[in-house]
Each structure stands twice: as structure tokens, then as C-alpha cells.
Amino acid sequence: MTILSTPRPLVGVVLAVPLFVAGIAFPHAASAATASPPPATAGQVRTYANPVSQHVVDTFPDPTMIRGKDGAWYAYGTTNPIFNSKGEAGEHILPMLRSTDLVSWQYAGDAIAADATPSWWPARTRPWAPDIRYVDGTYHLTYSLSGGGVALLTSDGPTGPWTDHGLLLPANNSGCPTGSIDQAMFTDSDGTHYLYWGSYDTICVSAMTPDATALAGPVTQVAQGRRAEGGFVVKRDGHYYLFFSDAGCCDGAFSGYTVKVGRADDPRGPFVNQEGQFLMDRRSKGGIVAAANGNGFVGPGHNAIQTDLSGQDWLVYHAIPADDPDFPPVNGGGGRLAALSKRPLMIDRLDWIDGWPVLRAGAGPSSGEQPAPVTQAVAGSTFNEGIPPEWVPAGAGVGRWTVTQVPDAQGVLSQAGSPAQPSLFVQASPVSGDRRIEGDLRLPQAGDAGSVGLVISDRGPQNRVVAWLDRGRRALVVSVTDRGDTTETSAPLPASFNLGSWHTVSAELRGTSLSVDVSADRLRDAQAVVRTSLPDTPAPGRIGAASLNAPGQADNISAAPLYQPVTERVPDPVLGDLKPAYSDEFNATGRPESSDPSWGWVRGTSAVAGESGGALTWSSQSADLYNANNTASVLLRDTPEGDFAVETKLDFTGTNPAQQAGIVLYENDDRYLKLVHSVLPINRIPAAVTHQTEFGKEGERPTTTPPMPVFNGPMFGGPPAGTTWLRLVYHYDAARQEHDVRMASSTDGTHWVWGGTWSLPVQGKLRIGLVSMGGAGAVASFDYVRTYGIVSR
């Protein structure tokens, strides 16, 4: 193992200083469909605008994030030319950022210096897609190599210096039929560490050794999809949620990256999405968490998750600014690189509605000012500035509480003795209302007994709530004393749980319901969870730390108003009246243009399609619309004025790669949007195919001179079937002078999976079209084409 270089020092970083307010009262949470995180407290950044890395770095792809034990947040990204706009010609290897509020970031160095790359790296390697975890007191930074393989760095601090452990996962023969990249760790409640990895087109999982430095156990395939990658797992309410991205990550303004999710009762799956579809199904997936929405950002994806001090979850991801999507050619570790996309760091509120996660209740990535994460406590301390004057001892146990300096955590609240009765150190000002309280706890000295606790509410020895990490019982114990009577509720800690390293205990009190969990890194991977009820709505109480039978340590203690959950999704578009003049039921016999002169052809001089039996039947052509290959026939008719939706019911028998049929909104051969049932190969699995609801775009790449037509990175929506309903909803975006078109699909005509939006700068009018192409041998049968007005979108 080698020690890699220490990152550059931070300049001008201001640590968050808690605000202490006597008699702090938190309002009770409201239940509202449009609820947002609670108002920011004094000193708190109140709003933010994406991308949050703007004016700090040019790009920050594939972000991952952790809260360090010093109370700050740290983000890590893929190797990229992060300072290209400042005149730097090269790239930074696994760059790091630091923030005290999740909004204002500063460059914190690179995990690996350009002149200190490991000797074992293959030539022309570019490290990708880091993942950060905290394991037994050590930060584990895994990353993948552009040629395949996953490597491991460890450090005692969040920015290094890093120790190189070499390859954790080989480039080939990893046991997964996929690219060996895009890894992420997860620790289960029994203490087992897991590694998820995979790209283009399968995601796999394997258990790891107890020290999380190698794989241990069989490899299980858990998800499959066209370009599926970037797996990230969290556990919530007993379910394991596998987030992943599919479609194209890095095609500039044509990137169709979309975040999707499935859940399971076991970390090895099987995972099922919201529509009941297994993630190993060889069809495109619904379960959409985040997709482009026409607001100027495309390709949202490769996510991680963070939780603010109020308990609100936030999706951490990258997206591409459609108006400035690409770098000029730059020099990278593998030589000259072309067509790198700018993928800055984004954050947005992640809502859990009816057991499923979705970005901003389904509104998608944000632009413009938004309510910021709650990252500054209204009660509590990081102790980096010493003991605040309002903190006082409490409890029957004796022992002197001091602040000691620890390299990683900085100031730490420490108990000097081993009190035989609980010794508390609390903030004098009580807090009330629905609240979230958390703190980092540990027992630094070895032994068989002793407890360290988070004081959730203290009103004296007769009325007190404490969450203990109890070494003797190896349990998370929640002790509730009410009017002198004490009850305890506990959950076992895993056998591998090390009370000598930091763990975060978080308590959420809503009304009389109390939920407490403990995790190593606040990444929604709790090792124990306790849920209980209090006898009455609690009166205002003090927060703090506690120690019993051993010297305990605590840090980063905070209280904040508990977040207000959003309970309803943003409504899906509502269709209005049918527009008969722009619709066709195909009830005639013969060529469609003969029965309805509104239809016309592009390259349709031969009898390629005909009506009979109430449908338009069309054998797929050995032709295409793809870049310069503009050979396929297109059946076209005009669109109405204003916003509209067009829908078709399609039977399709495609079996070979590239065969496809569906609807298009068409200006010309180089400017169109298509929604088709397509057949595509599965990478690295010979002769295997997948059926996709493919939503593609062809237009001009804005950074080429002159602009050249390209077709890249389609989005993928819900699953197609033998019969699939396809729908496109059109909106004219006057502010951006764009055609905005959103996709939806259904397998029963009733339940729709709504996907993302493509935008196309307005040059001419779009027309409604049908296609059946990509290879001979399939048959498409269109039951109808119906066009509707729009009531709401």
C-alpha cells in the first residue's frame, strides 16, 4: 500500500457556528401536498439555485457525498477538467469539495495528485465515479477505472492523505456480465458490507469482507436495462431501495440520463419498481425518480443521497446545462479528449410518497431559487470552538466534561470519568415541537461495559429521554423516563459494531412518535432502529450527551425542526377534448392518404402501409432515421395550434436489434423527436435483446460550427409490451423559444408511466408522424392516432 499526496489546503473556509436561543420552540409538522422543508433558522442559508457547484468548478460528474466528523460535508467527483474556464488544460483526478451548508462549496483538493498516480494503473486510465463511506473509523473512497475495475483508497480524514489498496474488483471476470465500474457500498443492519457495481447493461452485488476491502461471497445480478449503471442503495422502513441511472450520461444536450428505482426485502433483491416490474426484466423500466423536465438541464443522473439536519433527504446528482453542454477538446490522463460534457453538481429535495422516492414530488430537477437544506442547528454544537457557555452538567453521575481536539473531528465533547450513574451534559435552553436531534457518539476506551448516549429531551431525572449505545448489551437502547417511571425499548447492534469508532445517532420526534437509528455515515444504512411512543406530547426539553460506566465522547449534536413530508405527487398532465381533424381511427381500407388526405409521406412512394380491420399495418423497413442515414418512410400530418397531446395504440412484433415502430413529432430528417417500441441488444450478453420504450431526439449539437445534426442518448420510459400505448405531450416554451415534448407509455391504456421531456429549439413547425423501421421482418399495427388538447401539464 502507498500513501497518496495530501490535498491542497482549504482557503477561507468558515465553519458553521451554532446559534443558541433560549426557549427554542419548533412548530409541529403540517401535512400538505406542497409542503417544503421547514423555514431556515437564523444564520441558515435560506435559498439556493442549481447547479450548486457553479462558480467553484466547471463540472463535477458522478457525485458522492458524506458528512465528515468535523461537521462539514464533503463531495467527490469523477476525473474531469474542473478548472478549464480558468485556463487549465488538464484534468483533476477525483476532485473533492467541502461545504458547511450543502450549498456553498469550496475546492478541497484532489484525492490523487496528477504527479502521484499509482504505478499499477493501466496506461491511459481515467478514474471515475467515486463512492465514499465511513467504516470503523476510516473513510473508504472507492473509484472505478475507465478501462474497468474498482479500486480502494482509505484515510483517517475526509480529504486524505489517502492510502492506496489497489484493486478491490478486477476489470474482467468480476462475476458480473457488465462493465466493472460505477460501484457503491452499502452496510446492512446485520453489519454486512455490500458492493454494488455495473454499467452497460447489468448491475450486480456481492457481500464484502468485514473490513470492506475485498469481495466475499457470490455475485448476484440485481438489475438489467439499456445502459443501466450507477447503482446506489439505501434502506428505509424495512425496504432496500436500489437507485440507478439508464440511457446516456454524457452526450451533451442529447444526454437522456434518468434516475430510476426499485425496492426489495433483501439487499440481493429481487428488486421491483413502482409499477410491479422486476428490475431484471429485459424491458425498459419505469420507477422514475428524476428526468429532464424542459427547464434547461438535461441528463440528471448518477445519484447519491444526503440528509439535512431536519431529516429531509436530498438527491445529489449531476445534470448538463443544455445551453452550454460541452467542453472544448482537453488533455486528460489518457491523452487528448473530445466531446466531454459539463456535468455540474446538483441537489434537490427527495420526497418519499406512498413508499417511493421521487424528486420534488415529481417536478424534476429545479432551476431558480429553491428553499435550501437545513444545515445549521438552532440548538447544539460542533464543539469546534470549545464548550459554548450555555452548556451545563446534569444527571446524578459525576465526571468532568471537556472539549478535546481530535484530528478528524476537531473539537469533541469528552467525559473524563466512568460515572456509575448517568452523567449528562446538556444545553440549558430547551427545545419543543416536532424535532430531529442527532449526534456523533463513541466509547474511545476498550472494555466490556459502558454506554454513551444522545440526550433527546431532559427536564430533570423524573422526565428524560436518552438514546444509548450500550456496549454491555450490544444494543441501541431508548430510555424514556416519564414522571419517574422508566421504560426501555432496544434493538440489537450487529456483532461487528465497533463502539470505539464514531456512529451517528439520529432521533425524530413527531407528536408522541419517536424513531431513533444509528449509522456510521448518515447514508441511510442504519445498523439499528428503535421506534417507540411517548406517553404524552413532550414538553420542552434540553438536548445533549450522556455517559455511563465509561468515558464517552460526543460531537456534532444538533436539534432542528423536523421536516414536513410531502405526501402527494405533482399531478400528471391532463388531456382535454379530442381533436378529430388531427386524428385517425384507421377504419378505412387501403393506403392511409387515400382515405384521409391529411396524411402525406416522406419517402413513401411504394405501398409501405395500409389500413384494414380498423388498424394501419406496416411491415418494418430496412431503413432508418439516424444522422446521415435518412432512408426510412415517415407518414405525416399537421399538428394543431397551441399545446396538444398525440397518442397511438401499437402492436409490434420486433425481435431483432434496431427494429422499432412508433410516433414522431417531425420537422425534417435532422430535427425530430420520436417515441417508439424498439429492440436493442444487451451489452456483453451474446444474442440477448431488450425491448425499450425509447424516446429519442435528433437536432443540432450547439457547440459545433456549423451545428451538425446528431442523434444521441435517448431516454427510456416504462416497459413496452405486445400492445403498447404511446403518448407525446407538446408544449411551446416561449421563454426559452423551444418545443418541449414529454413522453408517456402504458401497457393497458389506463395506467401511464410518465417520463422525461426533450426540448428542441424552435426553427419550424412540427408535424405528427408514424414510423416502422430499423430492419425488415417485424410488423407494426397502429390501432389509431388521436390528438387532444391539454387541460393541464
Side-chain angles (χ1 to χ4, degrees), residues 9 35 87 89 117 188 281 290 360 365 437 446 501 538 570 617 704 732 788:
T117 57
D188 201 3
D281 184 14
R360 298 198 309 132
I437 299 157
S501 67
V570 173
T617 301
T704 59
Y732 170 60
Y788 301 87

Side-chain angles (χ1 to χ4, degrees), residues 587-726:
N587 289 327
T589 301
R591 289 173 61 84
E593 70 273 22
S594 299
S595 58
D596 185 350
S598 297
W599 290 112
W601 287 96
V602 174
R603 292 177 296 273
T605 55
S606 60
V608 296
E611 295 182 56
S612 64
L616 175 70
T617 301
W618 188 348
S619 297
S620 60
Q621 297 177 283
S622 183
D624 214 331
L625 290 178
Y626 186 83
N627 289 351
N629 183 5
N630 296 316
T631 54
S633 299
V634 187
L635 180 62
L636 292 173
R637 67 185 304 136
D638 287 339
T639 55
E641 295 298 321
D643 293 354
F644 65 88
V646 59
E647 177 184 312
T648 189
K649 178 183 176 184
L650 171 68
D651 291 347
F652 186 60
T653 63
T655 57
N656 297 325
Q659 292 175 334
Q660 57 191 273
I663 52 178
V664 296
L665 290 179
Y666 174 97
E667 180 182 335
N668 57 53
D669 284 340
D670 296 324
R671 290 177 54 81
Y672 64 85
L673 302 152
K674 71 171 184 179
L675 179 60
V676 295
H677 176 168
S678 67
V679 184
L680 297 170
I682 298 177
N683 283 309
R684 302 172 188 259
I685 302 180
V689 297
T690 174
H691 287 254
Q692 303 284 306
T693 301
E694 179 182 345
F695 183 33
K697 163 185 169 180
E698 185 163 323
E700 300 85 15
R701 184 178 290 275
T703 53
T704 59
T705 304
M708 297 296 292
V710 294
F711 180 86
N712 276 310
M715 300 181 204
F716 300 120
T723 301
T724 309
W725 284 255
L726 302 174

Side-chain angles (χ1 to χ4, degrees), residues 19-156:
L19 178 71
F20 302 99
V21 180
I24 299 165
F26 297 157
H28 286 272
S31 177
T34 58
S36 295
T41 60
Q44 161 76 25
V45 176
R46 296 179 180 274
T47 62
Y48 77 98
N50 275 319
V52 294
S53 59
Q54 190 174 21
H55 308 307
V56 182
V57 290
D58 297 336
T59 185
F60 205 77
D62 308 327
T64 187
M65 197 179 292
I66 197 168
R67 192 183 189 203
K69 300 310 174 185
D70 61 352
W73 278 266
Y74 294 86
Y76 309 79
T78 277
T79 299
N80 248 229
I82 63 172
F83 294 131
N84 181 266
S85 64
K86 295 178 174 62
E88 285 193 9
E91 297 189 290
H92 286 253
I93 302 174
L94 303 177
M96 302 178 290
L97 303 178
R98 184 180 189 272
S99 175
T100 58
D101 59 19
L102 289 172
V103 172
S104 303
W105 292 89
Q106 290 182 312
Y107 173 59
D110 303 324
I112 300 174
D115 58 358
T117 57
S119 60
W120 58 266
W121 277 6
R124 303 175 67 84
T125 285
R126 297 179 66 234
W128 285 347
D131 179 66
I132 187 70
R133 304 286 157 156
Y134 188 75
V135 180
D136 283 343
T138 302
Y139 294 87
H140 283 227
L141 183 67
T142 54
Y143 64 92
S144 50
L145 304 177
S146 54
V150 173
L152 171 65
L153 305 174
T154 61
S155 175
D156 294 333

Side-chain angles (χ1 to χ4, degrees), residues 472-788:
R473 286 185 278 181
R474 298 204 63 78
L476 170 65
V477 180
V478 177
S479 172
V480 178
T481 301
D482 179 65
R483 302 176 183 88
D485 294 328
T486 299
T487 59
E488 291 185 343
T489 309
S490 65
L493 297 170
S496 59
F497 193 92
N498 178 11
L499 276 82
S501 67
W502 291 112
H503 287 82
T504 301
V505 174
S506 302
E508 295 188 354
L509 180 60
R510 195 181 298 277
T512 60
S513 297
L514 177 64
S515 177
V516 182
D517 67 50
V518 57
S519 67
D521 46 26
R522 303 179 78 256
L523 290 172
R524 292 299 187 193
D525 53 356
Q527 267 87 81
V529 179
V530 171
R531 291 187 173 90
T532 188
S533 295
L534 304 186
D536 300 298
T537 300
R542 302 177 296 182
I543 67 168
S547 184
L548 178 64
N549 294 323
Q553 289 187 330
D555 200 6
N556 300 317
I557 296 175
S558 66
L562 188 60
Y563 77 103
Q564 299 176 7
V566 176
T567 59
E568 295 182 14
R569 292 179 61 103
V570 173
D572 294 326
V574 177
L575 275 57
D577 294 336
L578 179 71
K579 294 181 176 294
Y582 303 93
S583 305
D584 195 338
E585 297 295 319
F586 298 127
N587 289 327
T589 301
R591 289 173 61 84
E593 70 273 22
S594 299
S595 58
D596 185 350
S598 297
W599 290 112
W601 287 96
V602 174
R603 292 177 296 273
T605 55
S606 60
V608 296
E611 295 182 56
S612 64
L616 175 70
T617 301
W618 188 348
S619 297
S620 60
Q621 297 177 283
S622 183
D624 214 331
L625 290 178
Y626 186 83
N627 289 351
N629 183 5
N630 296 316
T631 54
S633 299
V634 187
L635 180 62
L636 292 173
R637 67 185 304 136
D638 287 339
T639 55
E641 295 298 321
D643 293 354
F644 65 88
V646 59
E647 177 184 312
T648 189
K649 178 183 176 184
L650 171 68
D651 291 347
F652 186 60
T653 63
T655 57
N656 297 325
Q659 292 175 334
Q660 57 191 273
I663 52 178
V664 296
L665 290 179
Y666 174 97
E667 180 182 335
N668 57 53
D669 284 340
D670 296 324
R671 290 177 54 81
Y672 64 85
L673 302 152
K674 71 171 184 179
L675 179 60
V676 295
H677 176 168
S678 67
V679 184
L680 297 170
I682 298 177
N683 283 309
R684 302 172 188 259
I685 302 180
V689 297
T690 174
H691 287 254
Q692 303 284 306
T693 301
E694 179 182 345
F695 183 33
K697 163 185 169 180
E698 185 163 323
E700 300 85 15
R701 184 178 290 275
T703 53
T704 59
T705 304
M708 297 296 292
V710 294
F711 180 86
N712 276 310
M715 300 181 204
F716 300 120
T723 301
T724 309
W725 284 255
L726 302 174
R727 182 182 286 172
L728 293 175
V729 175
Y730 172 86
H731 167 68
Y732 170 60
D733 184 343
R736 295 182 55 84
Q737 294 288 294
E738 289 179 334
H739 304 295
D740 285 349
V741 180
R742 189 178 181 189
M743 65 161 292
S745 65
S746 173
T747 56
D748 61 8
T750 301
H751 302 93
W752 292 84
V753 177
W754 287 92
T757 297
W758 278 126
S759 299
L760 191 65
V762 172
Q763 292 185 9
K765 188 173 176 60
L766 301 178
R767 291 179 288 171
I768 296 168
L770 301 177
V771 292
S772 180
M773 59 188 184
V779 176
S781 179
F782 297 91
D783 187 77
Y784 59 77
V785 170
R786 294 173 183 164
T787 301
Y788 301 87

